[in-house]
Amino acid sequence: MDLFWLFCDGNPQLFYQFVNMPFAFLFYCLARQGHLSVINRYVYLTLGGFIFAILTMGSYSLLLFFSAVLLLLLIYCLHPTHIHHWTLGLQMCWQTVWHLYIQYQLYWLQETPDSRLLLAISALMLMTQRVSSLSLDLQEGTITSSFQNSSQDLSVLIPFLSYSLNFPALLGGPLCSFNTFVQSVRQMSVTPHLTPYLRRLTSKILQVIILVWIKYPLKELLKSITFRVNSPCVCQNIIWIWILSLLLKMNYYAHWKVSECVNNAAGIGFHGYSHSGKKSWDGFSDGSPWVTEALSRPSAFARQWNRTTAVWLRRMVFKRSNISPLFMTFLFSAWWHGLHPGQILGFIIWSVTVQGDYKMHHFLHPMLTSKWRKWLYVCLNWAFTQLTISCVVVCVELQSLESVKLLWCSYIAVLPLLSVLIIIIL
């Protein structure tokens, strides 16, 4: 177990998701062979989440249980046309209270927060996605709550409770809609043979191992390059920041991919058959790290990075905001992430960069008439995307204003300022 913890590089979320996988696989096998009825599948997922939360978060698991109970009360008491605003508002307030408590510990008391509290808040952020997605589905009428009828069968509570607390999604995405979740649970007994299922699962586990392994040469490379304040070698500091951001991004990619594995191991992700007749197990994905890193536009990177969260933000804020929807979306993302100073700055940089990318692409696209011009544009824009996203990742991850000093000393902070100039000029 110590060796496995070492492999996970001391990342508790990655470690717990690996531990989660055998129980998810057991659930799928029992459901597929008909040993679990539909209602028992919901109970298994809910109890699994309940036990998993207590074991990993201790008393802080109450943060999640409070949100789950609150969701059921709102569904029971409110009309669907009013449920979303109350659900999203109360959930975000509850989450923000704990984010501010962490900032109080960090910046006022100068204490390191309990790791179980950090894990609980991470799970609470994911629950915010699920409950707000469900409430908006209810408001838009894409699902119908039986609570609106005269029948008040307690069994109706179980799918909603299972959706909010199911153990495969407790510590990691991807986010799925309530309808997709219900469909996945119900159709497990009719899913195909284990061969494509195991092939897909093995492929993703290998990707996780590769992503974790990549971190080690990146760490050694980071140690070999010395970051010097006011160094005459500007490129050295910029490369150091870029490698640091790659290392931080690998943590995200590995966590997202192992979370896909846990969901697929539980049978969540089978989407029937493709047009070619092949079995599709790629229903849930937060994007491919290889595709994401190859993108040459900041706006495309923003849509692909943590893809299901990007879709959720677009649905919650961008499509529903009448005033500056792009800026409001990134501002809401900063609020959802915790409102640390570095996070606010990071998401402001990202919004400015995306806006500048739209204007620059619209201006330059008619001039890209030859092949070499297109290749030059793609290459330069890829480098610009990598470096500006590096600024965002370092700010968001370091959280404090120390990240600003770090970026300014490396002169990489000039790149976001270029986006501001592009917006002003164009």
Side-chain angles (χ1 to χ4, degrees), residues 244-309:
L244 174 62
S245 71
L246 282 177
L247 182 61
L248 295 172
K249 284 189 284 185
M250 288 303 141
N251 287 326
Y252 283 106
Y253 290 138
H255 176 66
W256 294 337
K257 193 58 65 177
V258 77
S259 298
E260 288 180 32
C261 291
V262 175
N263 278 276
N264 288 162
I268 301 173
F270 175 68
H271 272 212
Y273 297 84
S274 62
H275 295 295
S276 60
K278 294 182 179 179
K279 304 172 183 67
S280 173
W281 276 97
D282 213 14
F284 299 144
S285 177
D286 272 319
S288 167
W290 329 114
V291 172
T292 304
E293 289 301 315
L295 293 172
S296 60
R297 292 186 58 189
S299 56
F301 195 101
R303 289 190 295 270
Q304 189 69 21
W305 173 264
N306 199 0
R307 191 164 60 194
T308 56
T309 295

Side-chain angles (χ1 to χ4, degrees), residues 141-383:
T142 55
I143 58 176
T144 303
S145 171
S146 300
F147 291 113
Q148 307 308 319
N149 302 327
S150 57
S151 174
Q152 296 183 1
D153 186 1
L154 289 178
S155 64
V156 179
L157 287 167
I158 297 177
F160 294 113
L161 187 62
S162 182
Y163 177 68
S164 61
L165 280 177
N166 73 93
F167 72 91
L170 200 66
L171 293 183
L175 174 68
C176 73
S177 67
F178 178 76
N179 285 338
T180 302
F181 172 76
V182 170
Q183 182 184 4
S184 296
V185 172
R186 287 178 177 175
Q187 70 178 4
M188 284 177 184
S189 56
V190 297
T191 49
H193 297 295
L194 283 175
T195 304
Y197 163 81
L198 293 174
R199 189 184 301 120
R200 171 61 62 182
L201 202 58
T202 304
S203 172
K204 290 190 175 183
I205 291 173
L206 288 175
Q207 290 183 55
V208 175
I209 293 172
I210 292 171
L211 290 167
V212 173
W213 179 83
I214 289 174
K215 291 167 58 178
Y216 292 99
L218 285 175
K219 282 184 176 180
E220 294 301 319
L221 193 57
L222 200 64
K223 291 177 183 177
S224 66
I225 302 174
T226 305
F227 185 91
R228 294 186 177 90
V229 179
N230 299 324
S231 172
C233 185
V234 177
C235 292
Q236 179 176 319
N237 285 350
I238 291 177
I239 291 173
W240 191 90
I241 293 290
W242 178 60
I243 295 173
L244 174 62
S245 71
L246 282 177
L247 182 61
L248 295 172
K249 284 189 284 185
M250 288 303 141
N251 287 326
Y252 283 106
Y253 290 138
H255 176 66
W256 294 337
K257 193 58 65 177
V258 77
S259 298
E260 288 180 32
C261 291
V262 175
N263 278 276
N264 288 162
I268 301 173
F270 175 68
H271 272 212
Y273 297 84
S274 62
H275 295 295
S276 60
K278 294 182 179 179
K279 304 172 183 67
S280 173
W281 276 97
D282 213 14
F284 299 144
S285 177
D286 272 319
S288 167
W290 329 114
V291 172
T292 304
E293 289 301 315
L295 293 172
S296 60
R297 292 186 58 189
S299 56
F301 195 101
R303 289 190 295 270
Q304 189 69 21
W305 173 264
N306 199 0
R307 191 164 60 194
T308 56
T309 295
V311 172
W312 174 72
L313 288 169
R314 184 177 182 85
R315 187 183 179 210
M316 292 293 124
V317 185
F318 188 83
K319 291 183 177 180
R320 302 169 66 83
S321 178
N322 297 322
I323 302 173
S324 187
L326 181 66
F327 179 74
M328 294 301 293
T329 301
F330 281 100
L331 194 62
F332 180 85
S333 184
W335 181 21
W336 178 71
H337 277 85
L339 288 176
H340 288 268
Q343 292 173 337
I344 296 172
L345 177 64
F347 284 106
I348 290 175
I349 290 174
W350 206 346
S351 65
V352 169
T353 302
V354 170
Q355 187 66 38
D357 174 61
Y358 285 141
K359 291 184 177 294
M360 179 61 76
H361 184 74
H362 180 74
F363 178 74
L364 291 179
H365 190 262
M367 304 178 188
L368 305 176
T369 54
S370 61
K371 193 172 183 178
W372 73 267
R373 285 186 179 183
K374 291 180 181 178
W375 274 105
L376 181 62
Y377 173 74
V378 168
C379 292
L380 292 176
N381 217 20
W382 177 83

